Amino acid sequence: MSVKGINRIAIIGTGAVGGYYGAKLAAAGNEVHFLARSDADVIKAQGLTIESLKSDDIHLKDVNVYSNASDMPICDVVLITLKTTANKALSGILKSVVGESTIICSLQNGYGLEQALEDEFPDNKVLGGLCFICSQKIKPGVIQHQDFGSIRFAGADDESLQRVVELFTDAGIPTQTSDSLEQARWEKLVWNVPFNGLSVILDATTKEMLDDPKSRALIHSIMMEVIAAAKAHGCELNDAFAVKLMELTDGMSPYFPSMKGDFENCRPMEIQAIYDSVIQSAKSKGVAMPQTTMLSQLLSYMDHG
Amino acid sequence: MSVKGINRIAIIGTGAVGGYYGAKLAAAGNEVHFLARSDADVIKAQGLTIESLKSDDIHLKDVNVYSNASDMPICDVVLITLKTTANKALSGILKSVVGESTIICSLQNGYGLEQALEDEFPDNKVLGGLCFICSQKIKPGVIQHQDFGSIRFAGADDESLQRVVELFTDAGIPTQTSDSLEQARWEKLVWNVPFNGLSVILDATTKEMLDDPKSRALIHSIMMEVIAAAKAHGCELNDAFAVKLMELTDGMSPYFPSMKGDFENCRPMEIQAIYDSVIQSAKSKGVAMPQTTMLSQLLSYMDHG
């Protein structure tokens, strides 16, 4: 905790996720430092704006924004919101903002992220946050918040977990906690694995894919592959969870998942994080994922990265 | 055999396949009757043209062309070259051209076609022909022959098989025969199942898909699924056959398979014939085809039909 109880927070990646949560945390009075790279100049000049379709807009002026992590201060809490496709730069970035008591929290998509962080920063508390949010960067410095926004946190010790939860709760962000980071990650993958890749391959929204009986069956079948892999990792998940997720998505506004946005904007897709790490992990438990593997192969062919 | 030893042949569907082989058979002196539907008027007025990138062009004038099968005569040999997506009309069509000694030969893609014909015409000889040809209809009455053109025939009795083989051989069309129609059909499916669907989904030629290591691995993996299904049907096929087919395709000019042409021209794709009949047949032998099933589901979503 910094002086006067103000939290000093680093946002590593000011995109659809980092921009939104960072702005909410800053609006709540925290000292937030944003790493933004190519957008840093625009944000410095014009501020950071959240246009929300569901709640009040936010406009931050005088943003602490950086294009180089080496200019950033050591922070109390570091939120990793980079695309995983930029993870090769992560290690160098974190050295600038992580001190001995810094809590590191990954809000990235994928599997195995926290383990890699714990390996690299064995003396720090590492936790994961699973974001249930529909948002997109519509231009530099402007994030459109479409729906939802809650985060499920898990990992680290109770004290660190509680501290991060309070930070977000105090900023008006709904939070839940999970006893098992493993379980929470797999639960999110059950959604991410089918919807992200299929939206790219079929050029379709969640609703379009769920309304067609063949693609709906495929979504269910891929979810069951992920659930089988999750079970092999000791998670408690079953068919009812797949059905529940599909019905929950039926109730959402038609949505293009983040991978579709990456593809359309010629950014590399998070194939390693959302697919290959999962396939590899399932394989290590003797579970084959033929359809998930095929998704990864199709996406790899299509990838601009 | 008609008067004076001239064969009377019906071509049921004057597209890339039927137009090409029908024109070759007519050019060799046979009496060929073409069912052409929407293209009949153009062919009647302008004739039927084969533009070949590999051998001499053919131009037939005064073509016996029909838009209604009921105007066609009973023929000695009936070649079914319709897209399988039009098969619901097939039964009605065949009643017009099949007499008691007519040989029926399906040149269509897919699985289970001859069995359905035998069930409907138990007193006729039914055989199948597997066409190894790259051709496309470029406009009504004009077929572009790009490469290859041989046919592997199988089925029926030796006499009928031999008669059809001679018919084609005499017209300068390379032929082979196979003792097992089952085996010949499955061998062709090992190529058709991966290349047709993936070319649509990835918007890619055979060469583009084979040159990328991820899609090449996927092609091999789908071929192995088809080979497993073929083995369950008593066929002798192994991994070496998949590798051989891929290497043979490496040596071909870059090619868009027929399903890609159907998709681009907003025609329904042959999903039932090339995928669903195969999946169903494998399932009846206890063999799951998860990747082939996924291909069928993706294509069904994309299908215009």
Side-chain angles (χ1 to χ4, degrees):
Chain A
M1 198 106 28
S2 304
V3 288
K4 291 184 284 176
I6 296 172
N7 288 286
R8 179 178 281 171
I9 300 164
I11 300 288
I12 306 302
T14 309
V17 171
Y20 176 76
Y21 290 115
K24 296 279 279 185
L25 291 164
N30 295 291
E31 180 188 317
V32 183
H33 298 267
F34 295 86
L35 181 66
R37 311 240 199 177
S38 60
D39 294 349
D41 288 346
V42 173
I43 296 173
K44 195 172 278 298
Q46 299 171 11
L48 178 61
T49 301
I50 311 301
E51 297 179 356
S52 179
L53 306 181
K54 293 286 174 170
S55 57
D56 293 341
D57 291 353
I58 300 173
H59 179 69
L60 296 185
K61 288 183 282 193
D62 302 323
V63 181
N64 302 312
V65 62
Y66 307 82
S67 54
N68 286 306
S70 57
D71 299 326
M72 297 177 77
I74 298 289
C75 290
D76 302 315
V77 176
V78 171
L79 297 173
I80 303 175
T81 50
L82 275 182
K83 288 280 175 194
T84 53
T85 49
N87 270 7
K88 58 188 174 299
L90 191 57
S91 180
I93 290 168
L94 292 179
K95 284 184 175 54
S96 300
V97 290
V98 173
E100 62 182 27
S101 63
T102 300
I103 299 173
I104 305 172
C105 177
S106 171
L107 300 184
Q108 297 182 302
N109 278 321
Y111 186 74
L113 305 160
E114 295 83 5
Q115 187 58 54
L117 292 167
E118 283 176 3
D119 292 348
E120 186 159 1
F121 298 97
D123 300 328
N124 291 83
K125 303 300 179 191
V126 172
L127 62 158
L130 291 303
C131 305
F132 295 86
I133 185 169
C134 298
S135 63
Q136 58 175 338
K137 187 175 86 172
I138 52 178
K139 58 184 175 178
V142 182
I143 311 297
Q144 184 186 63
H145 169 237
Q146 297 160 289
D147 209 351
F148 308 109
S150 71
I151 305 183
R152 171 169 291 172
F153 290 102
D157 56 8
D158 284 351
E159 189 191 330
S160 306
L161 185 63
Q162 207 46 48
R163 187 169 158 203
V164 170
V165 164
E166 276 172 25
L167 193 63
F168 279 77
T169 307
D170 290 350
I173 300 160
T175 61
Q176 300 106 41
T177 58
S178 172
D179 290 343
S180 162
L181 180 58
E182 184 82 25
Q183 172 95 14
R185 282 266 164 218
W186 281 105
E187 287 180 2
K188 187 158 189 206
L189 287 166
V190 176
W191 195 95
N192 267 334
V193 168
F195 283 111
N196 272 280
L198 290 177
S199 75
V200 173
I201 291 165
L202 297 177
D203 185 21
T205 63
T206 48
K207 179 171 171 54
E208 288 168 327
M209 295 188 282
L210 286 168
D211 285 355
D212 179 281
K214 289 295 179 81
S215 46
R216 189 180 183 95
L218 178 56
I219 288 164
H220 181 258
S221 166
I222 294 172
M223 283 184 169
M224 293 310 295
E225 247 184 37
V226 181
I227 287 174
K231 283 179 175 170
H233 285 80
C235 298
E236 289 178 20
L237 282 173
N238 55 31
D239 184 48
F241 181 72
V243 172
K244 191 183 86 175
L245 269 195
M246 290 170 73
E247 289 174 354
L248 191 137
T249 312
D250 283 328
M252 279 170 48
S253 298
Y255 183 61
F256 281 123
S258 63
M259 186 172 274
K260 171 71 171 162
D262 292 337
F263 179 71
E264 290 301 320
N265 290 289
C266 297
R267 293 189 296 257
M269 294 186 280
E270 295 189 284
I271 300 171
Q272 170 61 32
I274 299 180
Y275 295 97
D276 295 348
S277 64
V278 172
I279 294 162
Q280 194 60 39
S281 179
K283 191 177 176 189
S284 75
K285 302 284 183 183
V287 176
M289 304 184 79
Q291 297 187 313
T292 306
T293 302
M294 179 162 159
L295 262 182
S296 166
Q297 290 165 320
L298 293 172
L299 293 166
S300 293
Y301 181 90
M302 299 171 78
D303 195 25
H304 305 286
Chain B
M1 195 102 31
S2 304
V3 287
K4 291 183 280 181
I6 295 173
N7 288 287
R8 180 178 281 171
I9 300 165
I11 300 289
I12 307 301
T14 309
V17 172
Y20 176 76
Y21 290 114
K24 296 279 279 186
L25 291 164
N30 296 289
E31 179 188 317
V32 183
H33 298 266
F34 295 85
L35 180 67
R37 312 249 197 168
S38 60
D39 294 349
D41 289 346
V42 173
I43 296 173
K44 195 171 278 300
Q46 301 172 11
L48 178 62
T49 302
I50 311 301
E51 297 179 357
S52 179
L53 306 180
K54 294 285 173 170
S55 57
D56 293 341
D57 290 354
I58 300 173
H59 181 69
L60 298 184
K61 288 183 281 193
D62 302 325
V63 180
N64 303 312
V65 61
Y66 307 82
S67 54
N68 286 306
S70 56
D71 299 327
M72 298 177 75
I74 297 289
C75 290
D76 304 313
V77 176
V78 171
L79 297 173
I80 303 174
T81 49
L82 275 183
K83 288 278 175 194
T84 54
T85 48
N87 271 6
K88 57 189 173 298
L90 190 57
S91 179
I93 291 169
L94 292 179
K95 283 184 176 53
S96 301
V97 291
V98 172
E100 62 181 25
S101 63
T102 300
I103 299 173
I104 305 171
C105 177
S106 171
L107 300 184
Q108 297 183 302
N109 278 321
Y111 185 74
L113 305 160
E114 294 83 6
Q115 187 58 56
L117 291 167
E118 284 176 3
D119 291 347
E120 186 157 2
F121 298 96
D123 299 329
N124 292 83
K125 303 298 180 193
V126 173
L127 61 157
L130 292 303
C131 305
F132 295 85
I133 184 169
C134 298
S135 63
Q136 59 175 339
K137 187 176 86 173
I138 54 179
K139 57 184 176 180
V142 182
I143 311 296
Q144 184 186 64
H145 169 236
Q146 297 160 292
D147 209 352
F148 309 107
S150 71
I151 305 184
R152 171 169 293 173
F153 290 102
D157 55 8
D158 283 350
E159 189 191 332
S160 306
L161 185 65
Q162 206 46 50
R163 182 162 164 212
V164 171
V165 164
E166 275 173 23
L167 192 64
F168 279 78
T169 306
D170 290 350
I173 300 160
T175 61
Q176 300 106 41
T177 57
S178 173
D179 290 342
S180 163
L181 179 58
E182 184 81 24
Q183 172 95 16
R185 282 266 164 218
W186 281 105
E187 286 180 2
K188 186 154 190 210
L189 287 166
V190 176
W191 195 95
N192 267 334
V193 168
F195 283 111
N196 272 281
L198 290 177
S199 75
V200 173
I201 291 165
L202 296 176
D203 185 20
T205 64
T206 49
K207 179 169 170 55
E208 288 168 328
M209 294 187 283
L210 286 168
D211 284 355
D212 178 282
K214 290 295 178 85
S215 46
R216 189 179 183 93
L218 179 56
I219 287 164
H220 181 258
S221 167
I222 293 171
M223 284 184 168
M224 294 310 295
E225 249 186 34
V226 181
I227 287 174
K231 283 180 176 171
H233 286 80
C235 298
E236 289 177 20
L237 282 172
N238 55 30
D239 184 50
F241 181 73
V243 171
K244 191 183 87 174
L245 270 194
M246 289 171 73
E247 289 174 355
L248 191 138
T249 313
D250 284 328
M252 279 169 50
S253 298
Y255 184 61
F256 282 123
S258 63
M259 185 172 276
K260 171 71 172 165
D262 292 337
F263 179 72
E264 290 301 320
N265 290 290
C266 298
R267 294 190 294 259
M269 294 187 279
E270 296 188 283
I271 299 172
Q272 169 62 32
I274 300 181
Y275 295 97
D276 295 348
S277 64
V278 173
I279 294 163
Q280 194 60 39
S281 178
K283 194 178 172 186
S284 74
K285 302 284 184 184
V287 175
M289 304 184 77
Q291 299 186 112
T292 305
T293 302
M294 180 162 159
L295 263 182
S296 166
Q297 289 165 319
L298 293 172
L299 293 166
S300 293
Y301 180 90
M302 298 170 79
D303 194 24
H304 304 288

